[in-house]
Amino acid sequence: MSEQNAPGSHSGPAGAPPASGFRPASVAAVRLDSIGEALGIPVPGSSAEIGVTGISLNSRTVERGDLYVALPGAARHGADFVAQAVDRGAVAVLTDDAGARLLALSADTAVPVLVVDGPRNVVGPLSAMIYRSQPAPGQPPRLFGVTGTNGKTTTTYFINSLLRALGQRTGLIGTIEILAGGEPIPSLLTTPESTDVHALLALMRERGLDAASMEVSSHAVSFQRVDGVVFDVAGFTNLTQDHLDLHGTMEEYFATKADLFTSRRARAAAITVDDEWGRRLAATAGIPVTTLATSLAAGAADWTVTATAPRGLGTEFTLAGPDGAALHAHTGLPGAFNVANAALAIVMVLAGGADAAAVQAALTEHDPFTVAVPGRMQLVAEEPAAVVDFAHNTDALARAIEAVRSPAEGSRVIVVFGATGQRDQGKRPAMGAIAARLADVVIVTDDDPHDEDAAAIRADVLTGARAAQEQDALECLIEEMYPRDAAIQRAAELARPQDTILVAGRGHEVWQEVKGVNLALDDRVELRNALTARGFNVLQDDRIES
């Protein structure tokens, strides 16, 4: 989030350092008159020769040589922070008419000011121009973008793991972490702005990476965070109800996703056609499409998942393709949806130019889809089976519960979950109903209430759960328990060795936002501690900090 979008304040915690870790070590200066020419604005006199080596939307992350973009916000205009940006080394400012008027009322601005209508619309292309972040077609790093309601994170991890198995150096831009050649990059941002995305891509190119994958959410498209990025392959997982607080309708949600599958954003597509949305997208995409179906029942596709068989917690499967081609693969993560994620990763890598024989060798020798994905079907204990997952909407919750159910006689699924505040309220009763229909014990608790009343959120979820219980004469146990750590402890108290505990909704997150306050809370730590207190053995994982 830029500071202009954060009501009344800069983004990030007080005293936050600049995001210099996002940037390449060296950027050749772009003359200000070249930027002006791209914007259709003349830059007169000596100002034309000013060299720009970076771009920032936040005065607190400005570095020397930056173009500072002052955007309008909910409570303050970015022009209010120009003095701070200049103090940090900004050499020019880009703003709109309102920003220019604010600057005219203040003391003389010590740097040139460029004024355009709708500066937000040019931030992405300008970032690409300044950082030279977009390689020519076929040149590294090849970019893989994954969108869809569920499965984006896991699919990007699978793509990276498969590419590494093919001997390539990879980068990742995701909601969990940002990696450049295996090296994590500290981030203060949940979703990078377009300025940071292009800086990261330039950094990856500077480090000689062969490929990079990125989660592309509907928010990223709507808020123009991937403007100026052209993916070599864009992948689509699925579309189910979520984020209607932003998009209003499923049609608008679909249209936002579909915008990624146009020639200005991607060169090729790999689309899962299991649902009507996927089939519609494949039929209307403005770029070459390779289709994927995860079962024969889904209909015709270029590649189809066949011959699935359980192996441990995961699944072995065959991916049948054109002209009798067949690839044999395995994922160690449970659930049919992880088969879909793994299959899409394969199809995207093939669409990116990989040789099928080399891909099969990598699948056989390295088992790349057994990679651990933090907070995505993450196993904490085996007896009882205890899993933490990010499932936070109706479809994802249903898939997660079905995935963790044990075939052992007498085993139960105990699910702990809530709903996020200030988000799509319509899905809350539906999530409660799904949990009641699919789980044996339902413990409704708090997710991230944000500024909304937590009790009211729980009440919405419980209404759906209890209505389903009454309507279908279900024998499940439904309880309300808060705060969240108490709900997890309750699940451990009820669990028997043959049962499964699923803690859903927050996954890898380590902070819970309540009334503007971030409370330390890691579901994995709480679940591990609760099970240990009950005398159960837990798995040791260095990525889970006690």
Side-chain angles (χ1 to χ4, degrees):
M1 178 183 292
S2 66
E3 69 188 346
Q4 294 82 9
N5 290 327
S9 68
H10 298 281
S11 64
S20 56
F22 280 50
R23 302 191 183 200
S26 177
V27 178
V30 177
R31 283 172 51 118
L32 193 60
D33 59 349
S34 296
I35 292 173
E37 183 179 348
L39 297 172
I41 302 171
V43 179
S46 60
S47 296
E49 299 179 7
I50 290 174
V52 175
T53 55
I55 181 170
S56 179
L57 294 168
N58 190 321
S59 64
R60 297 175 67 184
T61 61
V62 164
E63 297 189 21
R64 190 161 302 281
D66 275 6
L67 172 67
Y68 172 58
V69 184
L71 299 178
R76 301 285 298 276
H77 196 290
D80 292 334
F81 305 103
V82 164
Q84 294 94 312
V86 172
D87 285 345
R88 292 190 63 91
V91 294
V93 174
L94 175 67
T95 192
D96 59 7
D97 286 335
R101 287 195 296 270
L102 286 171
L103 292 175
L105 293 173
S106 63
D108 290 341
T109 304
V111 298
V113 178
L114 308 181
V115 182
V116 298
D117 292 331
R120 164 64 78 175
N121 298 327
V122 301
V123 171
L126 278 184
S127 300
M129 176 183 181
I130 291 167
Y131 290 118
R132 299 170 178 83
S133 56
Q134 285 296 134
Q139 296 299 307
R142 286 169 300 129
L143 303 180
F144 297 84
V146 183
T147 196
T149 305
N150 301 312
K152 296 185 293 296
T153 297
T154 301
T155 303
T156 57
Y157 272 78
F158 282 175
I159 290 169
N160 270 22
S161 186
L162 176 56
L163 290 171
R164 286 196 298 270
L166 288 165
Q168 298 188 19
R169 299 187 67 225
T170 64
L172 181 145
I173 303 175
T175 56
I176 295 178
E177 59 186 344
I178 296 170
L179 302 172
E183 178 184 341
I185 298 174
S187 172
L188 300 173
L189 308 170
T190 302
T191 304
E193 278 282 4
S194 59
T195 51
D196 300 305
V197 168
H198 286 283
L200 284 163
L201 294 177
L203 173 64
M204 292 175 184
R205 188 177 183 186
E206 181 180 73
R207 292 184 177 180
L209 303 191
D210 300 298
S213 57
M214 179 179 177
E215 297 177 48
V216 186
S217 67
S218 60
H219 287 71
V221 176
S222 294
F223 298 146
Q224 300 178 277
R225 291 170 181 158
V226 290
D227 280 10
V229 177
V230 180
F231 294 96
D232 289 279
V233 183
F236 176 81
T237 58
N238 50 62
L239 195 73
T240 62
Q241 182 177 339
D242 205 1
H243 305 306
L244 296 191
D245 53 309
L246 171 65
H247 302 292
T249 67
M250 288 296 292
E251 282 293 333
E252 287 298 320
Y253 187 24
F254 171 77
T256 301
K257 296 288 191 187
D259 190 47
L260 183 64
F261 297 84
T262 58
S263 59
R264 70 189 183 94
R265 295 194 186 274
R267 298 186 178 98
I271 298 175
T272 308
V273 293
D274 290 346
D275 59 29
E276 183 58 37
W277 298 111
R279 291 188 287 273
R280 182 172 158 188
L281 180 60
T284 58
I287 52 179
V289 173
T290 303
T291 54
L292 164 69
T294 64
S295 71
L296 294 172
D302 297 314
W303 291 90
T304 303
V305 173
T306 64
T308 60
R311 178 174 142 195
L313 289 174
T315 307
E316 291 181 340
F317 64 95
T318 297
L319 192 58
D323 302 320
L327 295 172
H328 305 285
H330 164 257
T331 174
L333 276 64
F337 56 89
N338 277 315
V339 173
N341 295 335
L344 180 60
I346 294 172
V347 173
M348 289 183 68
V349 169
L350 292 172
D355 175 72
V359 168
Q360 181 62 76
L363 293 170
T364 302
E365 295 170 15
H366 300 284
D367 195 21
F369 304 141
T370 302
V371 62
V373 183
R376 269 59 174 180
M377 281 291 154
Q378 188 166 352
L379 194 64
V380 174
E382 293 180 336
E383 289 187 359
V387 177
V388 170
D389 191 64
F390 192 57
H392 61 282
N393 58 54
T394 307
D395 180 69
L397 184 62
R399 294 185 187 203
I401 294 172
E402 291 169 343
V404 301
R405 181 167 289 283
S406 168
E409 185 176 353
S411 67
R412 302 174 302 167
V413 173
I414 302 168
V415 63
V416 179
F417 76 106
T420 309
Q422 297 179 295
R423 299 295 185 270
D424 183 4
Q425 296 184 11
K427 69 183 180 184
R428 295 173 187 173
M431 290 177 68
I434 281 292
R437 291 188 173 110
L438 297 180
D440 303 286
V441 178
V442 177
I443 303 175
V444 176
T445 188
D446 299 330
D447 195 291
D448 283 309
H450 298 298
D451 290 330
E452 196 173 343
D453 179 55
I457 300 172
R458 295 194 303 271
D460 287 343
V461 177
L462 286 163
T463 295
R466 288 170 176 153
Q469 184 182 46
E470 181 178 352
Q471 178 182 336
D472 298 351
L474 303 171
E475 296 183 358
C476 60
L477 173 65
I478 300 173
E479 294 188 357
E480 178 183 15
M481 182 68 66
Y482 60 94
R484 192 175 178 93
D485 58 346
I488 294 172
Q489 291 166 19
R490 176 61 174 160
E493 290 171 2
L494 293 173
R496 305 166 302 176
Q498 67 269 35
D499 292 335
T500 298
I501 300 172
L502 171 65
V503 181
R506 303 185 70 253
H508 65 285
E509 295 174 353
V510 297
W511 300 99
Q512 182 185 42
E513 186 183 341
V514 182
K515 301 292 185 182
V517 178
N518 284 330
L519 306 177
L521 181 68
D522 186 326
D523 286 354
R524 299 163 297 179
V525 172
E526 298 299 336
L527 184 53
R528 186 169 68 177
N529 291 345
L531 290 169
T532 301
R534 294 285 296 166
F536 293 118
N537 294 323
V538 296
L539 301 176
Q540 296 303 312
D541 190 335
D542 291 338
R543 295 163 304 167
I544 302 175
E545 296 185 5
S546 300

